[in-house]
Amino acid sequence: MLARLRRVPFAAQVLIGLVLGVALGLVALDMGPVGPDEPNWLTSTLQTVGSTFVTLLKALVPPLIVTAVIVSIANLGQVANAARLAGQTLLWFAITALIAVSIGIGLGLLTDPGRNSSVDAASAAAPERTGGWWDFLTGLVPGNILGLQGSAEGALSFNVLQLIVISAAIGIAALKVGEAAEPFLGFVRSALAIVQKVLWWVILLAPIGTVGLIGNAVASYGWESLGSLGIFAGAVYAGLALVLFVVYPVLLRLHGLSPLRWFAGAWPAIQLAFVSRSSIGTLPVTERVTEQNLGVPRSYASFAVPLGATTKMDGCAAIYPALAAIFVAGFFDVDLSITDYLLIVLVSVVGSAATAGVTGAVVMLTLTLSTLGLPLAGVGLLLAVDPILDMGRTAVNVAGQALVPTIVARREGILDLDRFRGVAGTEPLARADERGGVDADLEASVPA
């Protein structure tokens, strides 16, 4: 039975989990709560399964970031025109973010979601976590070598932005040291391989995690939350769909690449991002499909994809904050000027790294609202549907993280077109057990 299950493509397993999750979520929704603020047993089970999967992913984020960033910088040192590649990557990050935020503003002006919403003003409350330019700048300075930070409750957590800064500094220093740093880099590469192997084991649980995450979302939020914010939620998903299924294919076509082939290669990562709501947790899958299915050289992909996982967020940092800012302005009857819209564009294009310190789009949204001088209490209006929107946002984030390295590699003439077109790089399903695990399943799930 297990052998037969392993032969089902990984992407298909996740899709089955998604359908099953929706079905169980509808059943749990129909059962109703046991009492006030007390979910029924099915909803509790789905919540536990989903949260356990996400917790496992988050536990591996710190060692993954540290080892991946150090190794990616070391690998970039072996690539010709490394500075040019890095510059082109950042340029295309900005170009696609500019397009995405423009779509978000356009949809916001078209739908005016703040004035066409039935959400209760009593739900407006200032968020517990906020973002600001000073928070971003001070957050760049590590408080300690481990990037640890404490909370009011005494709990410790890792600051992702500080981990990136620390790891980047170590990676650059290793390159400057040269041959003497080779033993250290060898150790870090081994550690990265081990962390990725453990993470692959966790990712193998994605179909089960999908059942819990999707089922809990359906059971917990149902249709009432979407009803009061239906226009806003619809506008967000319309913007995400335009970027993913119109803008990205157009950019691929302009570079002589098949959008269908790109989607076939990148889909396992996009699908996992949708259900896990974690760009960092999806990082190994994104990097693997970018290399093996899309034909981006490993030396470049190992730099661009980890960088994109923390700074390339067309969903969370472009479309969503633009629409949300227009929503909040409309709800509180604040008229936005041309300067305000230009500020939204500026924040979205250059401020997405500010979201790296804390997961989720709330930080980016509060950064945008504070820059525009809009009430931060407006964030509370949107929290009811945030988990549902976050699935689509993360999927677009990850799609962009795979798209930009593909475009840059194509422009620089280093893209393996045979692998991209499926002539090389895909393994028949019969060899999945030979390769072992999810790596082969991911490859096998992409048709030649």
Side-chain angles (χ1 to χ4, degrees):
M1 181 67 182
L2 183 60
R4 290 181 181 178
L5 182 62
R6 284 173 59 86
R7 291 178 182 176
V8 178
F10 179 73
Q13 292 180 31
V14 175
L15 183 60
I16 292 170
L18 191 150
V19 173
L20 184 58
V22 170
L24 290 176
L26 290 173
V27 172
L29 184 63
D30 186 62
M31 291 170 61
V34 176
D37 299 323
E38 185 179 353
N40 59 59
W41 68 269
L42 182 54
T43 303
S44 297
T45 301
L46 292 170
Q47 183 179 22
T48 301
V49 171
S51 62
T52 300
F53 174 66
V54 173
T55 300
L56 288 173
L57 285 176
K58 288 182 177 179
L60 293 167
V61 164
L64 178 65
I65 289 177
V66 171
T67 54
V69 171
I70 293 175
V71 170
S72 65
I73 291 176
N75 289 343
L76 193 63
Q78 304 169 7
V79 180
N81 298 322
R84 177 180 171 83
L85 281 173
Q88 284 285 311
T89 302
L90 294 174
L91 174 63
W92 278 96
F93 280 0
I95 290 173
T96 50
L98 178 61
I99 296 172
V101 72
S102 299
I103 289 175
I105 291 174
L107 286 171
L109 293 174
L110 183 66
T111 60
D112 197 6
R115 292 186 173 91
N116 294 298
S117 171
S118 60
V119 66
D120 186 0
S123 60
E128 295 180 3
R129 298 178 303 182
T130 61
W133 291 109
W134 282 116
D135 297 323
F136 171 56
L137 294 175
T138 56
L140 288 171
V141 182
N144 52 74
I145 192 64
L146 298 177
L148 282 170
Q149 60 182 10
S151 65
E153 294 78 16
L156 290 177
S157 62
F158 288 94
N159 185 304
V160 176
L161 189 59
Q162 292 183 8
L163 280 178
I164 294 170
V165 172
I166 294 168
S167 304
I170 293 174
I172 294 171
L175 281 180
K176 294 294 184 181
V177 169
E179 187 176 346
E182 284 305 316
F184 168 75
L185 291 176
F187 167 77
V188 175
R189 288 189 177 98
S190 297
L192 175 59
I194 293 170
V195 171
Q196 285 184 323
K197 176 58 69 176
V198 176
L199 191 53
W200 282 122
W201 293 341
V202 174
I203 290 173
L204 280 171
L205 301 174
I208 300 174
T210 298
V211 175
L213 291 167
I214 300 298
N216 180 57
V218 172
S220 300
Y221 303 101
W223 312 115
E224 292 182 6
S225 297
L226 281 177
S228 61
L229 290 165
I231 295 177
F232 174 73
V236 170
Y237 266 96
L240 296 173
L242 283 173
V243 170
L244 184 59
F245 298 116
V246 177
V247 174
Y248 289 174
V250 167
L251 291 176
L252 288 164
R253 277 294 182 194
L254 290 175
H255 289 88
L257 299 173
S258 166
L260 290 178
R261 277 300 315 158
W262 182 84
F263 273 111
W267 194 252
I270 296 172
Q271 190 178 46
L272 181 61
F274 181 82
V275 297
S276 70
R277 296 169 49 199
S278 173
S279 294
I280 294 291
T282 311
L283 173 59
V285 182
T286 311
E287 189 171 344
R288 186 58 55 93
V289 299
T290 302
E291 295 170 7
Q292 297 190 356
N293 295 341
L294 301 180
V296 178
R298 174 170 296 183
S299 55
Y300 169 53
S302 63
F303 162 78
V305 177
L307 177 65
T310 54
T311 60
K312 175 59 182 166
M313 302 181 184
D314 287 344
C316 288
I319 298 171
Y320 179 73
L323 270 164
I326 293 173
F327 172 91
V328 173
F331 187 86
F332 289 102
D333 290 321
V334 177
D335 292 325
L336 297 178
S337 65
I338 295 296
T339 303
D340 292 322
Y341 291 117
L342 291 176
L343 281 174
I344 293 175
V345 173
L346 177 65
V347 173
S348 298
V349 173
V350 304
S352 61
T355 63
V358 185
T359 56
V362 172
V363 174
M364 187 63 193
L365 176 54
T366 57
L367 173 61
T368 306
L369 295 182
S370 61
T371 302
L372 296 175
L374 293 172
L376 294 182
V379 176
L381 299 168
L382 308 175
L383 291 181
V385 294
D386 191 72
I388 298 173
L389 300 180
D390 196 31
M391 294 186 289
R393 293 192 310 240
T394 309
V396 172
N397 292 345
V398 168
Q401 293 156 20
L403 174 85
V404 170
T406 305
I407 289 177
V408 173
R410 173 63 167 165
R411 293 175 64 88
E412 296 299 310
I414 58 176
L415 186 70
D416 187 338
L417 291 176
D418 285 342
R419 188 176 290 273
F420 180 89
R421 293 165 181 159
V423 177
T426 54
E427 299 276 352
L429 198 59
R431 293 187 60 188
D433 289 335
E434 243 179 76
R435 292 287 306 275
V438 71
D439 300 6
D441 291 338
L442 284 171
E443 291 180 14
S445 67
V446 182

